[in-house]
């Protein structure tokens, strides 16, 4: 189980690093990109729904 946890953490770290490098090239923040991603998946939302 310990090995699986380490692999998951390593995968997340690498994915996060890759995501940040891709987003950095756009000139937008990671939060902005995630906001567009959520809105693209769910359509119009109120700010409270988006924040949740």
């Amino acid at each position: 189980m310990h090995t699986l946890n380490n692999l998951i953490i390593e995968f997340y770290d690498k994915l996060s690093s890759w995501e940040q490098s891709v987003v950095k090239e756009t000139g937008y923040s990671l939060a902005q990109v995630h906001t567009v991603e959520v809105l693209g998946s769910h359509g119009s939302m109120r700010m409270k729904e988006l924040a949740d």
Side-chain angles (χ1 to χ4, degrees), residues 14-35:
K14 287 182 179 181
L15 180 64
S16 179
S17 177
W18 172 80
E19 179 184 44
Q20 288 178 10
S21 69
V22 169
V23 169
K24 189 177 189 178
E25 295 174 7
T26 68
Y28 297 105
S29 71
L30 191 55
Q32 289 171 318
V33 171
H34 283 182
T35 300

Side-chain angles (χ1 to χ4, degrees), residues 4-51:
L4 178 58
N5 286 341
N6 287 343
L7 289 172
I8 291 171
I9 290 168
E10 182 181 348
F11 172 77
Y12 176 79
D13 287 344
K14 287 182 179 181
L15 180 64
S16 179
S17 177
W18 172 80
E19 179 184 44
Q20 288 178 10
S21 69
V22 169
V23 169
K24 189 177 189 178
E25 295 174 7
T26 68
Y28 297 105
S29 71
L30 191 55
Q32 289 171 318
V33 171
H34 283 182
T35 300
V36 171
E37 179 182 17
V38 169
L39 291 172
S41 296
H42 299 284
S44 297
M45 302 175 85
R46 296 188 180 278
M47 285 298 293
K48 172 134 179 49
E49 294 171 319
L50 183 58

